[in-house]
């Protein structure tokens, strides 16, 4: 029988801040801290201000092989472990599940002997294992914008199956480089035609034109309920379901009908139910994503209490978006207050429960959905933790 | 660049970058492995960085005295003085430094920042000849 799995800590470094207090304060503002990209004024970006890896990990010579996104992830992981109060004996067999993006700056170099490590996807896992003394089950998942949500799902399954009592999971990413911005520009997915950068990203709005680029990381500690209870850990939420699917259509845009995405959503809803549900939507603000996601939402959770779209407040964190949005969602759930979707002036789907005003809400159920390039879908279902025999 | 101070400064920068250290922690007398805890992967990067930034051919075996044990073992077998074998193998090190190294072997890897600088100065000198 599968074991119950709970989240006992998070560590995050986001454009909105790196503590619950900072994030809540930032969400009180009508807009996120967006600005124009210095090297290309037509691009709206949402950077992490003043990030200093050393202040989290001290000296770290392996950082020379890590992207900025991976360094953010390393710092978030160290923070999560410290928040959880885990010691070396807990970490020795702990799992590690990372959702990461490609290093678009990796090229053969004359001045770096091991530039190969810049390209290998598991360099961060190796660095984290060394930093934190983690030696258990692990995966590095590079499934585009579904990566960190899938990583959380794999961590959940691993702990539920008894392959680890503790697992660290999430992701970190940054496309705020010349190469990253250029890649999105050429793919035609960025918001254009905006007057103010904080108004660029408009999820589910009739005038949406694309996303704004964020960066950051969020990592979580997942534990079997038994392990968490035995050590008296604080429980933030219970994970009850995880799913993923593939559209099998376009390499970039989603299947307009959202058939496979809806299947992934329904799989999570089997465990979660649809009552007292808050949806953390993918909500990129691209014409095609929101169209397909709206079809999924109206077919699966038309009666949700609220649908949030945090990308309107911190940009698109690429592979890290799911983990980052879960971190913000848990902060909001704990505080009992969810922010309105920014810039949703003219909803394209007025019948959907899109959050247009801040709402006092302590939802029993949270559904996280991430839909990436390649028709790559991933969902995670979470419940407010309740003691007793079963999560339901 | 054959000015010894410039060479030492460049090497200090390279070490600080690669090992993620504050340059003030690095002096010519600092041990690269014992003090700065450089590992084999770091030595690989230091060799490549010296080659690139100082624009010189670098032989890692010579630069980091990698084969010192074998050199000394061969000398002992052939009844040759260790100082003589070391001078032949590592011409960038002067006699005083070789004597120091031979006396210091028990304490662990002997390579110091000044040895890297001596190697670089020697290579720079070769190039100018």
């Amino acid at each position: 029988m599968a074991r119950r799995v709970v989240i006992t800590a998070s560590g995050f470094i986001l454009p909105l801040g790196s503590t619950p207090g900072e994030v809540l304060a930032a969400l009180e503002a009508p807009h996120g801290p967006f600005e124009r990209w210095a090297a290309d004024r037509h691009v709206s970006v949402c950077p992490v201000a003043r990030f200093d890896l050393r202040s989290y990990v001290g000296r770290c010579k392996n950082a020379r092989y890590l992207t900025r996104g991976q360094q953010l992830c390393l710092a978030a992981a160290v923070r999560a472990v410290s928040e959880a109060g885990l010691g070396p004996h807990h970490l020795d067999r702990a799992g590690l599940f990372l959702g990461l993006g490609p290093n678009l700056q990796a090229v053969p170099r004359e001045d770096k002997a091991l530039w190969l490590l810049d390209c290998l996807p598991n360099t961060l896992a190796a660095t984290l294992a060394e930093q934190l003394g983690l030696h258990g089950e692990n995966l590095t998942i590079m499934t585009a914008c579904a990566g960190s949500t899938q990583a959380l799902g794999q961590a959940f399954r691993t702990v539920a199956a008894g392959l680890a009592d503790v697992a660290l999971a999430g992701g970190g990413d940054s496309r705020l480089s010349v190469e990253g911005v250029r890649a999105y520009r050429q793919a035609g997915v960025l918001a254009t035609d905006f007057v103010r950068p904080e108004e660029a990203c408009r999820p589910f709005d009739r005038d949406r034109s694309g996303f704004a680029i964020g960066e950051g990381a969020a990592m979580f500690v997942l534990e079997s309920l038994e392990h968490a209870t035995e050590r008296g850990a604080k429980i933030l939420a219970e994970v009850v379901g995880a799913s993923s699917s593939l559209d099998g259509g376009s390499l970039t845009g989603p299947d307009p009908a959202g058939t496979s995405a809806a299947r992934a959503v329904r799989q999570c809803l089997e465990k979660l139910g649809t009552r007292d549900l808050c949806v953390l939507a993918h909500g990129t603000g691209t014409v095609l994503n929101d169209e397909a996601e709206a079809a999924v939402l109206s077919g699966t959770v038309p009666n949700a209490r609220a649908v949030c779209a945090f990308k309107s407040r911190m940009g698109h964190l690429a592979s890290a978006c799911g983990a980052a949005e879960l971190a913000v969602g848990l902060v909001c759930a704990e505080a009992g207050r969810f922010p309105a979707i920014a810039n949703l002036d003219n909803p394209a789907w007025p019948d959907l429960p899109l959050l247009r005003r801040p709402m006092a809400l302590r939802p029993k159920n949270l559904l996280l959905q991430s839909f990436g390039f390649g028709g790559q879908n991933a969902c995670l279902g979470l419940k407010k933790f309740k003691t007793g025999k079963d999560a339901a | 660049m054959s000015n010894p101070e410039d060479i030492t400064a460049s090497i200090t920068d390279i070490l600080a970058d690669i090992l993620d250290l504050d340059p003030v922690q690095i002096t010519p007398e600092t041990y690269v492995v014992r003090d700065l805890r450089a590992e084999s992967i770091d030595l690989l990067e230091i060799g490549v960085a010296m080659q690139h930034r100082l624009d010189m051919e670098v032989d890692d075996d010579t630069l980091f005295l990698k084969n010192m044990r074998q050199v000394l073992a061969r000398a002992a077998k052939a009844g040759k003085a260790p100082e003589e074998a070391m001078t032949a193998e590592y011409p960038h090190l002067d006699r005083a430094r070789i004597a120091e190294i031979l006396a210091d072997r028990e304490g662990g890897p002997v390579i110091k920042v000044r040895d890297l600088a001596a190697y670089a100065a020697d290579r720079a000198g070769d190039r100018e000849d």
Side-chain angles (χ1 to χ4, degrees):
Chain A
M1 163 146 174
R3 307 190 299 175
R4 290 178 71 181
V5 180
V6 292
I7 292 181
T8 52
S10 69
F12 48 84
I13 298 149
L14 303 173
L16 303 175
S18 55
T19 65
E22 287 172 5
V23 167
L24 288 169
L27 292 178
E28 287 300 315
H31 296 285
F34 292 88
E35 56 190 59
R36 286 179 187 270
W37 173 241
D40 182 347
R41 310 292 290 170
H42 300 293
V43 175
S44 170
V45 299
C46 203
V48 168
R50 296 177 299 280
F51 171 60
D52 175 21
L53 179 65
R54 271 198 187 186
S55 68
Y56 291 86
V57 300
R59 175 193 175 201
C60 179
K61 59 191 173 69
N62 290 341
R64 65 181 182 245
Y65 304 115
L66 303 178
T67 62
R68 178 170 165 87
Q70 291 167 345
Q71 292 188 14
L72 286 159
C73 191
L74 171 58
V78 168
R79 169 70 67 84
V81 165
S82 132
E83 288 287 317
L86 294 169
H89 57 294
H90 297 119
L91 292 169
D92 182 43
R93 286 163 184 253
L96 178 63
F97 296 84
L98 298 171
L100 300 176
N103 181 355
L104 297 178
Q105 295 171 293
V107 286
R109 285 169 60 157
E110 291 292 330
D111 61 341
K112 200 171 186 182
L114 293 165
W115 58 266
L116 172 64
L117 295 178
D118 299 345
C119 310
L120 292 178
N122 64 329
T123 301
L124 176 60
T127 303
L128 263 170
E130 188 258 336
Q131 280 272 334
L132 293 170
L134 296 162
H135 306 287
E137 288 277 333
N138 66 92
L139 276 176
T140 297
I141 297 171
M142 300 187 74
T143 46
C145 304
S148 61
T149 301
Q150 254 190 298
L152 284 158
Q154 288 305 119
F156 159 67
R157 289 174 179 161
T158 301
V159 175
L163 298 172
D165 290 328
V166 177
L168 209 56
D173 212 340
S174 174
R175 298 291 156 80
L176 295 185
S177 62
V178 172
E179 297 80 0
V181 172
R182 182 177 164 194
Y184 282 148
R185 269 280 245 177
Q186 286 185 231
V189 292
L190 295 181
T192 51
D193 206 20
F194 53 85
V195 178
R196 302 196 311 170
E198 62 272 28
E199 292 171 351
C201 176
R202 320 178 68 83
F204 303 110
D205 191 83
R206 280 207 296 265
D207 297 326
R208 69 192 184 282
S209 63
F211 63 78
I213 311 174
E215 63 171 357
M219 290 291 289
F220 299 85
V221 174
L222 280 72
E223 294 181 60
S224 70
L225 175 58
E226 195 183 358
H227 191 271
T229 312
E230 261 172 28
R231 68 181 195 93
K234 183 186 172 188
I235 293 172
L236 303 181
E238 176 166 5
V239 186
V240 297
S243 57
S244 70
S245 67
L246 286 162
D247 284 356
S250 161
L251 285 184
T252 52
D255 164 19
T259 310
S260 298
R263 189 187 301 164
V265 170
R266 284 198 191 93
Q267 220 173 307
C268 270
L269 292 177
E270 276 171 26
K271 294 280 164 47
L272 206 55
T274 53
R275 294 186 57 192
D276 201 0
L277 175 72
C278 177
V279 181
L280 309 178
H282 190 56
T284 58
T286 61
V287 172
L288 295 179
N289 173 82
D290 292 5
E291 185 102 42
E293 190 165 18
V296 172
L297 290 166
S298 57
T300 55
V301 288
N303 300 317
R305 293 285 305 279
V307 174
C308 305
F310 293 141
K311 287 181 183 71
S312 67
R313 298 186 160 273
M314 60 181 175
H316 194 335
L317 274 66
S319 64
C321 72
E325 287 155 17
L326 177 59
V328 175
L330 290 177
V331 166
C332 292
E334 168 94 18
R337 189 172 164 84
F338 281 77
I341 298 174
N343 305 315
L344 183 54
D345 300 333
N346 300 297
W349 296 273
D351 295 341
L352 286 176
L354 302 166
L355 206 47
R356 298 195 62 195
R357 271 172 286 283
M359 189 189 239
L361 181 65
R362 289 183 193 275
K364 282 202 178 110
N365 301 305
L366 277 181
L367 171 68
L368 172 68
Q369 43 196 43
S370 303
F371 306 131
F373 266 32
Q376 185 82 50
N377 312 306
C379 297
L380 196 73
L382 300 104
K383 279 183 175 288
K384 197 172 184 175
F385 175 68
K386 216 163 62 173
T387 48
K389 264 193 191 164
D390 197 280
Chain B
M1 183 193 353
S2 52
N3 175 343
E5 275 148 32
D6 288 347
I7 288 178
T8 301
S10 298
I11 291 189
T12 301
D13 283 349
I14 289 171
L15 292 169
D17 279 358
I18 290 175
L19 301 169
D20 194 19
L21 294 167
D22 190 331
V24 300
Q25 291 172 268
I26 303 166
T27 73
E29 292 304 319
T30 306
Y31 288 101
V32 177
V33 177
R34 284 191 218 174
D35 294 335
L36 303 182
R37 294 181 305 175
E39 299 168 288
S40 59
I41 154 173
D42 304 321
L43 299 186
L44 208 55
E45 293 292 2
I46 293 165
V48 167
M50 282 177 64
Q51 196 157 307
H52 187 78
R53 286 199 225 174
L54 303 175
D55 190 24
M56 56 178 54
E57 288 289 315
V58 168
D59 178 88
D60 278 14
D61 288 347
T62 311
L63 173 64
F64 299 116
L65 317 184
K66 280 190 176 167
N67 302 324
M68 194 174 79
R69 267 172 208 288
Q70 292 91 310
V71 168
L72 292 172
R74 269 203 308 272
K77 219 170 166 185
K80 221 162 125 187
E83 292 82 359
E84 209 179 307
M86 289 282 286
T87 304
E89 190 76 17
Y90 307 114
H92 60 287
L93 300 177
D94 62 30
R95 293 216 156 251
R97 178 62 187 137
I98 285 174
E100 217 176 273
I101 286 173
L102 291 172
D104 188 29
R105 287 170 57 211
E106 299 307 313
V110 294
I111 188 92
K112 286 184 173 182
V113 173
R114 63 186 266 215
D115 302 330
L116 306 185
Y119 181 88
D122 193 47
R123 300 303 314 222
D126 280 357
R127 211 175 39 215
E128 278 164 23
D129 286 346

